[in-house]
Amino acid sequence: MKQKKLLFSAAVFLICGSCTTGMLSPTDYVDPFIGTGFHGHTYPGATMPFGAVQLSPDTRAGNWDACAGYHYDDTSLKGFSHTHLSGTGCIDLGDILLRPTTTNPEPDAEGNICHPATFSHRDEEATPGYYSVILKDEKIKAELTATTHVGMHRYTFPSDKPAFVIIDLEHLLDNERIYEASIEQMAADEIAGMRRTGGWTDNQYVYFAARFSKPVQNIRFLKDKKEIRVEDELEGEHLQAVLTFDNTDKMPLVVKVGLSQVSVENARENLEHEVKDFDFDAVCAAARSEWGRVLSSITVEGGRTGDLKNFYTAMYHVMVVPNTVSDVNGRYRRHNMQIGQLPKGKVRYSTFSLWDTFRAWNPLMTLIDTTLVNGMIHSFLDIYDASGELPIWPLASGETGTMIGYHSASVIADAYLKGIRGFDAEKALEAMMVSSEKNKKGADYYIKYGFIPSNIKRESVSCLLEFAYDDWCIARMAREMGREDVYEKYIGRSQNYINVFDGSTKFFRGKRLDGNWETPFNPFEVGRAYTEATAWQYRFFVPHDVNGMVQLFGGKEAFVAALDSIFTVDSKVDGELSDITGLIGQYAHGNEPSHHIAYLYDYVGQPWKTQEMTRRLL
């Protein structure tokens, strides 16, 4: 079931100001361009809640700010691809790029046919489920919308110009490997194909079926950036196709593209199931309606227009991931590359950035969408069955292994302890325990010695602290299930944080295998013992045993003084790390390890400081 909550602005992420008069739809407040500048790594294109398709313009590739394919500083785009990441710190996807043009494309000296198209932000528009832009030099208006599995394009060409569309399977957002790719004309109005790549995860399969509102007049294929005849063998790498369409009728060209990770047949079935005809406006209206429904799961009262814009845009970004990876017929590609089959009405998800989400996003979902939470946990357990380990950071049908901890345990335990139990709890507990024993970032040392040697493993302090928290989650769930043997084992392990606390400096520090501290110690330094942080930002990461942590600091008074100090010490950071942003003292609001810190005042009897600091941080 889904639950609807009424939250007042003082209790959520808004800062109250003058009240607004009248209430628009939540979609009216969403600005998809928020986060597309600086290092926000978001995209402005069209997608559905938790959709398989993220249809958006690609303006750059190959650098850190190309993670979502689009950056607001750019003034040209390469085309519109169908898969994108939101808010990540790694690059991938950008599959199946389409580029409308009025010029018959010819390879340049480097063999490229997808030449950048200039645009202006004045000619862009983005709302939930819709994006449009005018390609300035060619005066083409491109509009995008989406269903869960289908990306829909509408291209309005100048009436006195020819109409071409490039389908580019060579396009990548990063330096990935293209193992295989193919494009084939299936009918006068249908092009289909596939691509298998290796990037952040290996063996990423994307199949597509594209149908056009007009028949293809002519098609040219390119392979290895050279034109080839239609009758030649088309299998191979780096395939592109140039399609010609009649533009004398002065009607827009509408393209609908179904995606699947299983097969072209499934991509076509997704397409036929979700988009019956070429009514772009109807699909766009349906997308907007669905976004309005899911964004209304939280109703906010009060606040200024800017506050509502910030809130509902944040809610929008909350709901673009995880992504659906199963097809309308229930088939999906598992992590062992076999094809699975779901019961009718069930969905498989991927794109779980668990280190980024276990602190706040996952608990939010337990409050507003229990159906999704159960679906995610079923997806976790399916990954466990296929790979032998719960996911850490899965993408598509693979595991990136990125970041630390085994935070699937946190998500599962949080759901179970809140009464969300539409999954096999015994199997889940088994999976949590197995995964805790085999984490490649130091579980063996953690279990054997009670700490992770900093001279052997990177991120040793951060890994230990987060392992200890996850172990506490396992212990809590085990006790609730009556498994006292498991509880005793894991509650004991959850105390391992004590082993890396240095009483002389009152910081968690890297400890070498011989038991000595790493020296010299500089708490302002970005060190190999911490994950995207300094020692300051991991100084208070014992969320499962705040009272125990307080005792390590020498009692409540000493702990409060230390807590106060993180917001007032010098904001310098020794060393370069782009993730450490939004510094207030050494509190880094721009990265996850700091986000719980202001709430610790509640645990030591000073809730007014939590209120003060959260308002200041917002």
Side-chain angles (χ1 to χ4, degrees), residues 36 40-45 54 56-72 74 76-81 83-88 90-94 97 119 171-174:
T36 62
H41 298 179
T42 66
Y43 58 86
Q54 309 87 36
S56 189
D58 290 340
T59 65
R60 65 170 64 185
N63 67 46
W64 193 54
D65 281 324
C67 288
Y70 179 99
H71 197 279
Y72 200 78
D74 298 332
S76 66
L77 60 86
K78 301 179 180 184
F80 309 99
S81 67
T83 60
H84 292 89
L85 293 166
S86 179
T88 64
C90 292
I91 312 174
D92 209 306
L93 305 183
L97 181 128
F119 71 97
H171 169 74
L172 297 164
L173 294 179
D174 201 13

mmCIF file of all heavy atoms in Angstrom, residues 36 40-45 54 56-72 74 76-81 83-88 90-94 97 119 171-174:
data_model
loop_
_atom_site.group_PDB
_atom_site.id
_atom_site.type_symbol
_atom_site.label_atom_id
_atom_site.label_comp_id
_atom_site.label_asym_id
_atom_site.label_seq_id
_atom_site.Cartn_x
_atom_site.Cartn_y
_atom_site.Cartn_z
ATOM 1 N N THR A 36 21.466 20.703 -12.555
ATOM 2 C CA THR A 36 22.189 20.430 -13.798
ATOM 3 C C THR A 36 23.456 21.260 -13.930
ATOM 4 O O THR A 36 24.237 21.037 -14.858
ATOM 5 C CB THR A 36 21.291 20.684 -15.028
ATOM 6 O OG1 THR A 36 20.904 22.071 -15.051
ATOM 7 C CG2 THR A 36 20.048 19.818 -14.997
ATOM 8 N N GLY A 40 26.055 19.027 -9.763
ATOM 9 C CA GLY A 40 24.784 18.402 -9.385
ATOM 10 C C GLY A 40 24.520 17.090 -10.058
ATOM 11 O O GLY A 40 23.863 16.208 -9.511
ATOM 12 N N HIS A 41 25.020 16.944 -11.309
ATOM 13 C CA HIS A 41 24.930 15.674 -12.025
ATOM 14 C C HIS A 41 23.492 15.182 -12.227
ATOM 15 O O HIS A 41 23.209 13.993 -12.110
ATOM 16 C CB HIS A 41 25.757 14.591 -11.322
ATOM 17 C CG HIS A 41 27.216 14.885 -11.265
ATOM 18 N ND1 HIS A 41 28.131 14.059 -10.656
ATOM 19 C CD2 HIS A 41 27.941 15.934 -11.729
ATOM 20 C CE1 HIS A 41 29.349 14.579 -10.738
ATOM 21 N NE2 HIS A 41 29.251 15.725 -11.391
ATOM 22 N N THR A 42 22.575 16.105 -12.500
ATOM 23 C CA THR A 42 21.215 15.709 -12.847
ATOM 24 C C THR A 42 20.944 16.070 -14.301
ATOM 25 O O THR A 42 21.681 16.841 -14.917
ATOM 26 C CB THR A 42 20.169 16.390 -11.949
ATOM 27 O OG1 THR A 42 20.183 17.806 -12.190
ATOM 28 C CG2 THR A 42 20.444 16.107 -10.480
ATOM 29 N N TYR A 43 19.881 15.512 -14.850
ATOM 30 C CA TYR A 43 19.525 15.758 -16.252
ATOM 31 C C TYR A 43 18.133 16.395 -16.297
ATOM 32 O O TYR A 43 17.300 16.164 -15.425
ATOM 33 C CB TYR A 43 19.549 14.451 -17.055
ATOM 34 C CG TYR A 43 18.625 13.380 -16.525
ATOM 35 C CD1 TYR A 43 17.286 13.337 -16.904
ATOM 36 C CD2 TYR A 43 19.079 12.407 -15.644
ATOM 37 C CE1 TYR A 43 16.425 12.368 -16.406
ATOM 38 C CE2 TYR A 43 18.232 11.426 -15.137
ATOM 39 C CZ TYR A 43 16.904 11.413 -15.529
ATOM 40 O OH TYR A 43 16.053 10.458 -15.033
ATOM 41 N N PRO A 44 17.827 17.173 -17.337
ATOM 42 C CA PRO A 44 16.532 17.856 -17.405
ATOM 43 C C PRO A 44 15.476 17.130 -18.220
ATOM 44 O O PRO A 44 14.347 17.599 -18.323
ATOM 45 C CB PRO A 44 16.887 19.175 -18.090
ATOM 46 C CG PRO A 44 17.966 18.781 -19.053
ATOM 47 C CD PRO A 44 18.763 17.697 -18.355
ATOM 48 N N GLY A 45 15.821 15.994 -18.818
ATOM 49 C CA GLY A 45 14.940 15.346 -19.786
ATOM 50 C C GLY A 45 13.744 14.652 -19.179
ATOM 51 O O GLY A 45 13.448 14.769 -17.988
ATOM 52 N N GLN A 54 15.142 7.307 -19.425
ATOM 53 C CA GLN A 54 15.456 8.671 -19.006
ATOM 54 C C GLN A 54 15.926 9.397 -20.266
ATOM 55 O O GLN A 54 17.116 9.402 -20.592
ATOM 56 C CB GLN A 54 16.539 8.698 -17.926
ATOM 57 C CG GLN A 54 16.266 7.781 -16.732
ATOM 58 C CD GLN A 54 16.763 6.370 -16.956
ATOM 59 O OE1 GLN A 54 17.805 6.160 -17.581
ATOM 60 N NE2 GLN A 54 16.020 5.384 -16.464
ATOM 61 N N SER A 56 16.915 12.302 -22.530
ATOM 62 C CA SER A 56 17.451 13.616 -22.189
ATOM 63 C C SER A 56 18.561 13.995 -23.164
ATOM 64 O O SER A 56 19.198 13.123 -23.760
ATOM 65 C CB SER A 56 17.991 13.591 -20.755
ATOM 66 O OG SER A 56 18.325 14.883 -20.297
ATOM 67 N N PRO A 57 18.807 15.300 -23.323
ATOM 68 C CA PRO A 57 19.904 15.726 -24.196
ATOM 69 C C PRO A 57 21.260 15.437 -23.583
ATOM 70 O O PRO A 57 21.444 15.515 -22.370
ATOM 71 C CB PRO A 57 19.674 17.233 -24.328
ATOM 72 C CG PRO A 57 18.946 17.621 -23.080
ATOM 73 C CD PRO A 57 18.072 16.447 -22.747
ATOM 74 N N ASP A 58 22.220 15.115 -24.450
ATOM 75 C CA ASP A 58 23.603 14.925 -24.027
ATOM 76 C C ASP A 58 24.431 16.082 -24.564
ATOM 77 O O ASP A 58 24.506 16.292 -25.782
ATOM 78 C CB ASP A 58 24.164 13.597 -24.543
ATOM 79 C CG ASP A 58 23.524 12.405 -23.855
ATOM 80 O OD1 ASP A 58 22.957 12.587 -22.765
ATOM 81 O OD2 ASP A 58 23.590 11.299 -24.406
ATOM 82 N N THR A 59 25.046 16.831 -23.649
ATOM 83 C CA THR A 59 25.814 18.005 -24.039
ATOM 84 C C THR A 59 27.312 17.808 -23.906
ATOM 85 O O THR A 59 28.082 18.621 -24.413
ATOM 86 C CB THR A 59 25.405 19.233 -23.200
ATOM 87 O OG1 THR A 59 25.756 18.999 -21.824
ATOM 88 C CG2 THR A 59 23.907 19.493 -23.312
ATOM 89 N N ARG A 60 27.732 16.766 -23.198
ATOM 90 C CA ARG A 60 29.168 16.527 -23.028
ATOM 91 C C ARG A 60 29.403 15.070 -22.681
ATOM 92 O O ARG A 60 28.479 14.332 -22.338
ATOM 93 C CB ARG A 60 29.763 17.438 -21.963
ATOM 94 C CG ARG A 60 29.242 17.194 -20.558
ATOM 95 C CD ARG A 60 30.041 17.964 -19.513
ATOM 96 N NE ARG A 60 29.919 19.410 -19.669
ATOM 97 C CZ ARG A 60 30.605 20.287 -18.931
ATOM 98 N NH1 ARG A 60 31.455 19.864 -18.002
ATOM 99 N NH2 ARG A 60 30.442 21.591 -19.097
ATOM 100 N N ALA A 61 30.663 14.671 -22.747
ATOM 101 C CA ALA A 61 31.056 13.308 -22.397
ATOM 102 C C ALA A 61 32.485 13.335 -21.893
ATOM 103 O O ALA A 61 33.247 14.266 -22.154
ATOM 104 C CB ALA A 61 30.945 12.387 -23.614
ATOM 105 N N GLY A 62 32.831 12.304 -21.104
ATOM 106 C CA GLY A 62 34.221 12.070 -20.775
ATOM 107 C C GLY A 62 34.816 12.839 -19.627
ATOM 108 O O GLY A 62 35.992 12.679 -19.319
ATOM 109 N N ASN A 63 34.051 13.709 -18.943
ATOM 110 C CA ASN A 63 34.590 14.319 -17.735
ATOM 111 C C ASN A 63 33.589 14.162 -16.602
ATOM 112 O O ASN A 63 32.448 13.748 -16.819
ATOM 113 C CB ASN A 63 34.988 15.784 -17.946
ATOM 114 C CG ASN A 63 33.806 16.701 -18.215
ATOM 115 O OD1 ASN A 63 32.781 16.644 -17.540
ATOM 116 N ND2 ASN A 63 33.938 17.569 -19.214
ATOM 117 N N TRP A 64 33.999 14.510 -15.382
ATOM 118 C CA TRP A 64 33.198 14.195 -14.195
ATOM 119 C C TRP A 64 31.823 14.832 -14.247
ATOM 120 O O TRP A 64 30.855 14.278 -13.739
ATOM 121 C CB TRP A 64 33.952 14.622 -12.931
ATOM 122 C CG TRP A 64 33.362 14.066 -11.679
ATOM 123 C CD1 TRP A 64 33.107 12.755 -11.401
ATOM 124 C CD2 TRP A 64 32.958 14.809 -10.530
ATOM 125 N NE1 TRP A 64 32.567 12.634 -10.137
ATOM 126 C CE2 TRP A 64 32.462 13.879 -9.582
ATOM 127 C CE3 TRP A 64 32.968 16.160 -10.202
ATOM 128 C CZ2 TRP A 64 31.986 14.265 -8.332
ATOM 129 C CZ3 TRP A 64 32.495 16.543 -8.954
ATOM 130 C CH2 TRP A 64 32.007 15.595 -8.039
ATOM 131 N N ASP A 65 31.721 16.003 -14.851
ATOM 132 C CA ASP A 65 30.429 16.667 -14.927
ATOM 133 C C ASP A 65 29.598 16.204 -16.122
ATOM 134 O O ASP A 65 28.609 16.842 -16.480
ATOM 135 C CB ASP A 65 30.610 18.187 -14.948
ATOM 136 C CG ASP A 65 30.882 18.738 -13.555
ATOM 137 O OD1 ASP A 65 30.294 18.203 -12.591
ATOM 138 O OD2 ASP A 65 31.692 19.680 -13.414
ATOM 139 N N ALA A 66 29.999 15.081 -16.698
ATOM 140 C CA ALA A 66 29.177 14.432 -17.728
ATOM 141 C C ALA A 66 28.432 13.230 -17.160
ATOM 142 O O ALA A 66 27.876 12.430 -17.926
ATOM 143 C CB ALA A 66 30.049 13.998 -18.908
ATOM 144 N N CYS A 67 28.398 13.100 -15.837
ATOM 145 C CA CYS A 67 27.779 11.911 -15.238
ATOM 146 C C CYS A 67 26.330 11.734 -15.668
ATOM 147 O O CYS A 67 25.849 10.603 -15.821
ATOM 148 C CB CYS A 67 27.861 11.988 -13.710
ATOM 149 S SG CYS A 67 29.516 11.740 -13.045
ATOM 150 N N ALA A 68 25.600 12.833 -15.833
ATOM 151 C CA ALA A 68 24.201 12.761 -16.267
ATOM 152 C C ALA A 68 24.045 13.111 -17.739
ATOM 153 O O ALA A 68 22.917 13.196 -18.240
ATOM 154 C CB ALA A 68 23.341 13.693 -15.416
ATOM 155 N N GLY A 69 25.164 13.340 -18.436
ATOM 156 C CA GLY A 69 25.116 13.634 -19.863
ATOM 157 C C GLY A 69 24.911 15.090 -20.202
ATOM 158 O O GLY A 69 25.228 15.519 -21.304
ATOM 159 N N TYR A 70 24.377 15.871 -19.262
ATOM 160 C CA TYR A 70 24.002 17.264 -19.513
ATOM 161 C C TYR A 70 24.648 18.154 -18.468
ATOM 162 O O TYR A 70 24.703 17.796 -17.290
ATOM 163 C CB TYR A 70 22.478 17.389 -19.426
ATOM 164 C CG TYR A 70 21.911 18.782 -19.641
ATOM 165 C CD1 TYR A 70 21.384 19.150 -20.871
ATOM 166 C CD2 TYR A 70 21.874 19.714 -18.612
ATOM 167 C CE1 TYR A 70 20.844 20.418 -21.075
ATOM 168 C CE2 TYR A 70 21.342 20.985 -18.796
ATOM 169 C CZ TYR A 70 20.828 21.331 -20.034
ATOM 170 O OH TYR A 70 20.293 22.587 -20.230
ATOM 171 N N HIS A 71 25.118 19.330 -18.911
ATOM 172 C CA HIS A 71 25.590 20.329 -17.954
ATOM 173 C C HIS A 71 25.103 21.690 -18.394
ATOM 174 O O HIS A 71 25.198 22.061 -19.567
ATOM 175 C CB HIS A 71 27.111 20.324 -17.835
ATOM 176 C CG HIS A 71 27.601 21.020 -16.610
ATOM 177 N ND1 HIS A 71 27.728 22.393 -16.523
ATOM 178 C CD2 HIS A 71 27.956 20.544 -15.380
ATOM 179 C CE1 HIS A 71 28.154 22.731 -15.322
ATOM 180 N NE2 HIS A 71 28.302 21.631 -14.604
ATOM 181 N N TYR A 72 24.607 22.457 -17.442
ATOM 182 C CA TYR A 72 23.945 23.728 -17.749
ATOM 183 C C TYR A 72 24.891 24.759 -18.352
ATOM 184 O O TYR A 72 24.447 25.697 -19.020
ATOM 185 C CB TYR A 72 23.292 24.303 -16.485
ATOM 186 C CG TYR A 72 22.219 25.324 -16.777
ATOM 187 C CD1 TYR A 72 20.952 24.941 -17.181
ATOM 188 C CD2 TYR A 72 22.486 26.695 -16.657
ATOM 189 C CE1 TYR A 72 19.964 25.877 -17.461
ATOM 190 C CE2 TYR A 72 21.510 27.638 -16.927
ATOM 191 C CZ TYR A 72 20.249 27.228 -17.331
ATOM 192 O OH TYR A 72 19.281 28.160 -17.612
ATOM 193 N N ASP A 74 26.816 24.265 -20.795
ATOM 194 C CA ASP A 74 27.032 23.968 -22.206
ATOM 195 C C ASP A 74 26.011 24.673 -23.094
ATOM 196 O O ASP A 74 24.885 24.963 -22.675
ATOM 197 C CB ASP A 74 26.974 22.463 -22.446
ATOM 198 C CG ASP A 74 28.056 21.715 -21.686
ATOM 199 O OD1 ASP A 74 29.114 22.322 -21.431
ATOM 200 O OD2 ASP A 74 27.836 20.547 -21.332
ATOM 201 N N SER A 76 25.798 23.549 -26.582
ATOM 202 C CA SER A 76 25.561 22.672 -27.725
ATOM 203 C C SER A 76 25.251 21.275 -27.213
ATOM 204 O O SER A 76 25.655 20.900 -26.107
ATOM 205 C CB SER A 76 26.762 22.642 -28.673
ATOM 206 O OG SER A 76 27.880 22.040 -28.039
ATOM 207 N N LEU A 77 24.520 20.518 -28.004
ATOM 208 C CA LEU A 77 24.166 19.151 -27.628
ATOM 209 C C LEU A 77 24.456 18.204 -28.776
ATOM 210 O O LEU A 77 24.455 18.581 -29.953
ATOM 211 C CB LEU A 77 22.710 19.070 -27.179
ATOM 212 C CG LEU A 77 21.601 19.461 -28.150
ATOM 213 C CD1 LEU A 77 21.198 18.284 -29.044
ATOM 214 C CD2 LEU A 77 20.389 19.969 -27.393
ATOM 215 N N LYS A 78 24.699 16.936 -28.418
ATOM 216 C CA LYS A 78 25.032 15.918 -29.404
ATOM 217 C C LYS A 78 23.814 15.179 -29.913
ATOM 218 O O LYS A 78 23.850 14.552 -30.972
ATOM 219 C CB LYS A 78 26.019 14.924 -28.791
ATOM 220 C CG LYS A 78 27.308 15.577 -28.314
ATOM 221 C CD LYS A 78 28.254 14.569 -27.704
ATOM 222 C CE LYS A 78 29.527 15.258 -27.248
ATOM 223 N NZ LYS A 78 30.534 14.297 -26.730
ATOM 224 N N GLY A 79 22.743 15.196 -29.133
ATOM 225 C CA GLY A 79 21.530 14.480 -29.479
ATOM 226 C C GLY A 79 20.792 14.102 -28.216
ATOM 227 O O GLY A 79 21.057 14.648 -27.135
ATOM 228 N N PHE A 80 19.878 13.149 -28.350
ATOM 229 C CA PHE A 80 19.012 12.771 -27.237
ATOM 230 C C PHE A 80 19.116 11.262 -27.028
ATOM 231 O O PHE A 80 18.706 10.472 -27.878
ATOM 232 C CB PHE A 80 17.571 13.183 -27.541
ATOM 233 C CG PHE A 80 17.440 14.617 -27.969
ATOM 234 C CD1 PHE A 80 17.333 14.949 -29.314
ATOM 235 C CD2 PHE A 80 17.470 15.638 -27.031
ATOM 236 C CE1 PHE A 80 17.241 16.273 -29.716
ATOM 237 C CE2 PHE A 80 17.384 16.965 -27.417
ATOM 238 C CZ PHE A 80 17.265 17.288 -28.766
ATOM 239 N N SER A 81 19.704 10.869 -25.889
ATOM 240 C CA SER A 81 19.828 9.443 -25.594
ATOM 241 C C SER A 81 18.831 9.038 -24.523
ATOM 242 O O SER A 81 18.269 9.878 -23.817
ATOM 243 C CB SER A 81 21.261 9.083 -25.194
ATOM 244 O OG SER A 81 21.610 9.665 -23.962
ATOM 245 N N THR A 83 18.980 6.718 -21.788
ATOM 246 C CA THR A 83 19.270 6.261 -20.421
ATOM 247 C C THR A 83 20.268 7.210 -19.777
ATOM 248 O O THR A 83 21.275 7.582 -20.393
ATOM 249 C CB THR A 83 19.835 4.828 -20.405
ATOM 250 O OG1 THR A 83 21.065 4.787 -21.163
ATOM 251 C CG2 THR A 83 18.833 3.835 -20.974
ATOM 252 N N HIS A 84 19.982 7.608 -18.524
ATOM 253 C CA HIS A 84 20.853 8.538 -17.811
ATOM 254 C C HIS A 84 20.839 8.245 -16.317
ATOM 255 O O HIS A 84 19.866 7.709 -15.784
ATOM 256 C CB HIS A 84 20.423 9.985 -18.048
ATOM 257 C CG HIS A 84 20.630 10.447 -19.455
ATOM 258 N ND1 HIS A 84 19.671 10.293 -20.424
ATOM 259 C CD2 HIS A 84 21.700 11.033 -20.054
ATOM 260 C CE1 HIS A 84 20.137 10.771 -21.575
ATOM 261 N NE2 HIS A 84 21.353 11.217 -21.368
ATOM 262 N N LEU A 85 21.912 8.637 -15.668
ATOM 263 C CA LEU A 85 22.020 8.566 -14.216
ATOM 264 C C LEU A 85 21.698 9.929 -13.622
ATOM 265 O O LEU A 85 21.907 10.963 -14.258
ATOM 266 C CB LEU A 85 23.431 8.140 -13.811
ATOM 267 C CG LEU A 85 23.809 6.706 -14.189
ATOM 268 C CD1 LEU A 85 25.312 6.499 -14.049
ATOM 269 C CD2 LEU A 85 23.053 5.699 -13.348
ATOM 270 N N SER A 86 21.211 9.932 -12.390
ATOM 271 C CA SER A 86 20.863 11.173 -11.705
ATOM 272 C C SER A 86 21.606 11.266 -10.384
ATOM 273 O O SER A 86 21.448 10.405 -9.518
ATOM 274 C CB SER A 86 19.349 11.239 -11.448
ATOM 275 O OG SER A 86 19.005 12.426 -10.755
ATOM 276 N N GLY A 87 22.429 12.300 -10.253
ATOM 277 C CA GLY A 87 23.076 12.581 -8.974
ATOM 278 C C GLY A 87 24.255 11.713 -8.628
ATOM 279 O O GLY A 87 24.745 11.770 -7.501
ATOM 280 N N THR A 88 24.743 10.909 -9.547
ATOM 281 C CA THR A 88 25.848 10.003 -9.230
ATOM 282 C C THR A 88 27.196 10.684 -9.410
ATOM 283 O O THR A 88 27.311 11.724 -10.048
ATOM 284 C CB THR A 88 25.811 8.756 -10.127
ATOM 285 O OG1 THR A 88 26.017 9.154 -11.488
ATOM 286 C CG2 THR A 88 24.487 8.039 -10.003
ATOM 287 N N CYS A 90 29.745 8.850 -10.776
ATOM 288 C CA CYS A 90 30.390 8.067 -11.834
ATOM 289 C C CYS A 90 29.557 8.181 -13.107
ATOM 290 O O CYS A 90 28.361 8.457 -13.063
ATOM 291 C CB CYS A 90 30.533 6.600 -11.427
ATOM 292 S SG CYS A 90 31.699 6.328 -10.070
ATOM 293 N N ILE A 91 30.201 7.936 -14.245
ATOM 294 C CA ILE A 91 29.566 8.114 -15.550
ATOM 295 C C ILE A 91 29.197 6.759 -16.139
ATOM 296 O O ILE A 91 29.970 5.802 -16.066
ATOM 297 C CB ILE A 91 30.506 8.833 -16.532
ATOM 298 C CG1 ILE A 91 31.122 10.079 -15.899
ATOM 299 C CG2 ILE A 91 29.781 9.196 -17.820
ATOM 300 C CD1 ILE A 91 32.167 10.759 -16.776
ATOM 301 N N ASP A 92 28.025 6.709 -16.751
ATOM 302 C CA ASP A 92 27.627 5.532 -17.516
ATOM 303 C C ASP A 92 26.358 5.866 -18.288
ATOM 304 O O ASP A 92 25.851 6.993 -18.218
ATOM 305 C CB ASP A 92 27.402 4.316 -16.610
ATOM 306 C CG ASP A 92 27.700 3.001 -17.338
ATOM 307 O OD1 ASP A 92 27.124 2.778 -18.411
ATOM 308 O OD2 ASP A 92 28.513 2.218 -16.831
ATOM 309 N N LEU A 93 25.862 4.870 -19.011
ATOM 310 C CA LEU A 93 24.618 4.937 -19.786
ATOM 311 C C LEU A 93 24.756 5.883 -20.988
ATOM 312 O O LEU A 93 25.787 5.915 -21.629
ATOM 313 C CB LEU A 93 23.440 5.289 -18.886
ATOM 314 C CG LEU A 93 23.249 4.366 -17.670
ATOM 315 C CD1 LEU A 93 21.999 4.774 -16.895
ATOM 316 C CD2 LEU A 93 23.222 2.915 -18.059
ATOM 317 N N GLY A 94 23.712 6.646 -21.319
ATOM 318 C CA GLY A 94 23.722 7.411 -22.562
ATOM 319 C C GLY A 94 23.459 6.526 -23.767
ATOM 320 O O GLY A 94 24.048 6.721 -24.838
ATOM 321 N N LEU A 97 21.325 7.001 -28.942
ATOM 322 C CA LEU A 97 21.194 8.437 -29.187
ATOM 323 C C LEU A 97 20.529 8.702 -30.537
ATOM 324 O O LEU A 97 20.881 8.086 -31.547
ATOM 325 C CB LEU A 97 22.568 9.103 -29.146
ATOM 326 C CG LEU A 97 22.559 10.613 -29.368
ATOM 327 C CD1 LEU A 97 23.318 11.325 -28.253
ATOM 328 C CD2 LEU A 97 23.151 10.988 -30.724
ATOM 329 N N PHE A 119 22.314 25.539 -28.988
ATOM 330 C CA PHE A 119 21.006 25.873 -28.420
ATOM 331 C C PHE A 119 21.185 26.937 -27.365
ATOM 332 O O PHE A 119 22.304 27.201 -26.896
ATOM 333 C CB PHE A 119 20.321 24.632 -27.825
ATOM 334 C CG PHE A 119 20.959 24.131 -26.551
ATOM 335 C CD1 PHE A 119 20.451 24.491 -25.312
ATOM 336 C CD2 PHE A 119 22.067 23.295 -26.585
ATOM 337 C CE1 PHE A 119 21.035 24.041 -24.132
ATOM 338 C CE2 PHE A 119 22.662 22.834 -25.420
ATOM 339 C CZ PHE A 119 22.138 23.206 -24.192
ATOM 340 N N HIS A 171 27.691 6.405 -29.744
ATOM 341 C CA HIS A 171 27.715 7.453 -28.725
ATOM 342 C C HIS A 171 27.883 6.875 -27.326
ATOM 343 O O HIS A 171 27.161 5.959 -26.917
ATOM 344 C CB HIS A 171 26.413 8.259 -28.790
ATOM 345 C CG HIS A 171 26.212 9.185 -27.644
ATOM 346 N ND1 HIS A 171 26.914 10.371 -27.508
ATOM 347 C CD2 HIS A 171 25.395 9.116 -26.553
ATOM 348 C CE1 HIS A 171 26.525 10.984 -26.413
ATOM 349 N NE2 HIS A 171 25.614 10.253 -25.809
ATOM 350 N N LEU A 172 28.834 7.421 -26.590
ATOM 351 C CA LEU A 172 29.099 7.027 -25.207
ATOM 352 C C LEU A 172 29.319 8.272 -24.370
ATOM 353 O O LEU A 172 29.805 9.290 -24.866
ATOM 354 C CB LEU A 172 30.341 6.136 -25.121
ATOM 355 C CG LEU A 172 30.296 4.781 -25.826
ATOM 356 C CD1 LEU A 172 31.712 4.222 -25.978
ATOM 357 C CD2 LEU A 172 29.428 3.805 -25.064
ATOM 358 N N LEU A 173 28.976 8.195 -23.088
ATOM 359 C CA LEU A 173 29.257 9.296 -22.173
ATOM 360 C C LEU A 173 30.625 9.162 -21.528
ATOM 361 O O LEU A 173 31.139 10.123 -20.952
ATOM 362 C CB LEU A 173 28.182 9.365 -21.084
ATOM 363 C CG LEU A 173 26.777 9.723 -21.565
ATOM 364 C CD1 LEU A 173 25.804 9.724 -20.401
ATOM 365 C CD2 LEU A 173 26.756 11.065 -22.280
ATOM 366 N N ASP A 174 31.220 7.978 -21.602
ATOM 367 C CA ASP A 174 32.533 7.746 -21.025
ATOM 368 C C ASP A 174 33.290 6.796 -21.940
ATOM 369 O O ASP A 174 32.755 6.301 -22.937
ATOM 370 C CB ASP A 174 32.411 7.173 -19.610
ATOM 371 C CG ASP A 174 33.672 7.386 -18.772
ATOM 372 O OD1 ASP A 174 34.532 8.171 -19.194
ATOM 373 O OD2 ASP A 174 33.779 6.790 -17.686
#
